[in-house]
Amino acid sequence: MNLVQSSKIVAMLAGVMMLAACAGSTESTSVTTDTGPSYAAGSQEAFLDAVGARGDHVYFAFNRHDLNSQAQAALGQQAAWLMQNPSATVRVAGNCDERGTREYNLALGARRANSVKDYLVSLGVDPSRVETISYGKERPECIASNEECWAINRNGVTSVTNGPSS
Amino acid sequence: MLDLKTKHRNGMKIGAILVALFGLLLAPVRAEEPLHVDITEGRVDPLPIAVPDFIGKDRREISAGSSLASVITNNLKRSGLFQPIDPRAFIERPSDFDTLPRFQDWRIIDSDALVTGQVVYQDDGRIRVEFRLWDVVRDQQLVGKRYYTTPENYRRVAHLISDEIYERLTGEAGYFDTRVVYVQESGPKNNRRKRLAIMDQDGFNSAFLTDGNNLVMTPRFSPTSQEIAYLSYVNEKPRVFLLNIETGQQEVVGDFPGMTFAPRFSPNGDKIIMSLERSGNSDIYAMDLVKRRSTRLTDHPAIDTSPSYSPDGRYITFNSDRSGRQQLYVMRADGTDVRRISFGEGKYATPVWSPRGDLIAFTKILNGRFYIGVMRPDGNPKTERLLTESFLDEGPTWSPNGRVLMFFRQTPSEVDGSGGTVRLWSVDLTGYNLRPIATPGDASDPAWSPLIK
């Protein structure tokens, strides 16, 4: 099965199971690949393919840790994949923009990571499969000091921690 | 294993220095007010002082004497309280340490104080350094001391002499014979490497304490021992660690189920207060390092972090957003009697109690700008004073005499990756003496040591 096919199927399953299909799931089918080696089920690569472009990320408003509808839709996709891959465990990293102080942002990042975890658990994921970590403002993805980058850097990122590697 | 870099360990050791007071050279006293620098005024006139090169007989003594005078001059100048006079203006060139200076030659160039000294190599390879501080206005010796140490330890002797001068002329303890532990940063902003490092307060003798394999931040000096508490992401588990900078021994503080962070020592060094995060909520705990027991001090669904003891150990100031935004609070050391002390506009963070007990330093965020400020612990908004302002000023730490703050300043970064430098700065309580600290590369999270004993 190639990348495109698998992502379509997982996206479909997600829609049925969670009643939470969104534009993101069809966008994910635009992921293209050549005929390189395929990944194993339950791997980080499989997860990224299933949740779609940036589907491993949810984004937060300034100094907030509540989830908007877009974030909830993305987490619906993540939860669906986790239900399909019951042996997979994940780590959720909470991140902040640079416009706060270091120690407060560590605490805020922990809040964000736990918002993500709590929502996944509310969708049926066993809490023991989800660990959290806060990086505060230490792991910016976008480097410029402007509003666009700060919005990108206020996030929670889910990644598979135990899956087989491709 | 943890990531201590052992090869620098010997560099951490503080060389032994023998000190002795010696007799005054007496001259008839002129009837003038004694020399005194008032460091509490909002804006002081720096005291003119002359620090000629210390006397030496041969090339290596002359070279050492010049280095000593240069370190002392730099210390005094950076304090903002002294105005060292350009040596090119000197009339007298001291050549005999045990002869009275020609006071009129120093008065003529408007010097109020004079430091003379000499360096003598000993048969055992050590150096003997002697200095005298003179009141040029009253023709009087104020202090004189003699030190024995190894030649490579000359900077430390210069710092000790600087502290003697500072103390004699201001009436308060100095802070030059101290070190600063900080985080050295390298690499692009989205892949930053951070290492613990330590240096003298003037930026010299910088050495790494960790190798950068683990993310580290917020180091803090023990008030009583050569230990540092800091946050490290060993095995991707953020926990507070203790590092002994003389032995290199390193241990995790306590056995907690969640992230521990924001550590600080109690004034007598027997406890660490810090935040513990569980299920996304951060509260403040005290960890008794002797009994190995932790006590919960706050229990609130809001973020409680950045705790700092008062110097008498009876109170703790901390940062909480329980009012809806970040504010500063004070509570008793047992966690009771919590009251808010910050009431100005904007958000407040990183409160740190002055070693003198009279002020709390903080970071303030208002309208997209960051400030370093101080306020009294009683919560009177009129006592708030802002000392610095920039795109990002954060994390003040006090000099041991409670007169100077060091902090870090980050500049904005551009889309192309330029900018975004992070450097250490110091400012005194007047707010008029803002100075960069020279570090090898980017630096953040400074923590000032107590006076070295």
Side-chain angles (χ1 to χ4, degrees), chain B residues 229-280:
Chain B
Y230 67 105
L231 174 62
S232 180
Y233 279 58
V234 175
N235 298 324
E236 293 304 290
K237 288 194 189 308
R239 295 290 185 275
V240 170
F241 283 78
L242 269 182
L243 165 65
N244 185 310
I245 58 175
E246 282 182 347
T247 66
Q249 195 181 341
Q250 213 162 181
E251 59 174 312
V252 69
V253 177
D255 178 20
F256 295 100
M259 170 170 70
T260 51
F261 62 108
R264 273 187 204 278
F265 286 90
S266 60
N268 64 5
D270 64 347
K271 290 194 198 78
I272 285 180
I273 35 171
M274 57 191 181
S275 285
L276 165 63
E277 176 265 321
R278 292 198 70 176
S279 305

Side-chain angles (χ1 to χ4, degrees), chain A residues 49-71:
Chain A
D49 191 45
V51 297
R54 310 288 295 175
D56 56 338
H57 283 61
V58 297
Y59 298 96
F60 296 90
F62 179 70
N63 206 22
R64 300 196 61 113
H65 62 284
D66 51 324
L67 301 164
N68 60 21
S69 57
Q70 208 175 357

Side-chain angles (χ1 to χ4, degrees), chain B residues 117-190:
Chain B
Q118 75 172 347
V119 184
V120 181
Y121 266 82
Q122 308 295 289
D123 292 339
D124 60 7
R126 293 186 306 163
I127 51 173
R128 187 178 86 226
V129 180
E130 294 159 306
F131 89 98
R132 289 189 169 99
L133 171 65
W134 303 92
D135 179 340
V136 173
V137 183
R138 301 179 79 216
D139 293 2
Q140 195 180 11
Q141 182 180 324
L142 298 173
V143 64
K145 281 195 178 178
R146 174 181 299 148
Y147 305 81
Y148 292 92
T149 190
T150 53
E152 65 272 15
N153 214 16
Y154 78 92
R155 294 195 75 90
R156 177 130 198 254
V157 172
H159 294 317
L160 288 166
I161 293 172
S162 303
D163 279 333
E164 289 288 341
I165 296 165
Y166 184 100
E167 184 166 353
R168 189 63 187 75
L169 293 178
T170 68
E172 304 211 7
Y175 56 87
F176 301 116
D177 187 32
T178 56
R179 293 187 288 177
V180 173
V181 60
Y182 68 100
V183 172
Q184 199 267 357
E185 302 192 14
S186 58
K189 203 168 172 180
N190 56 356

Side-chain angles (χ1 to χ4, degrees), chain B residues 356-417:
Chain B
R356 300 164 63 91
D358 55 344
L359 293 169
I360 289 171
F362 55 82
T363 304
K364 178 168 175 153
I365 307 169
L366 176 63
N367 297 330
R369 303 287 287 174
F370 281 59
Y371 304 78
I372 302 296
V374 293
M375 68 169 75
R376 295 243 308 264
D378 61 9
N380 179 349
K382 287 186 187 140
T383 68
E384 178 177 321
R385 282 193 297 127
L386 299 180
L387 305 175
T388 75
E389 175 193 354
S390 86
F391 169 75
L392 200 165
D393 285 353
E394 184 182 340
T397 179
W398 290 95
S399 64
N401 70 353
R403 291 300 183 188
V404 184
L405 290 163
M406 200 177 287
F407 60 97
F408 71 91
R409 170 171 289 179
Q410 180 187 325
T411 62
S413 45
E414 307 301 326
V415 179
D416 64 6

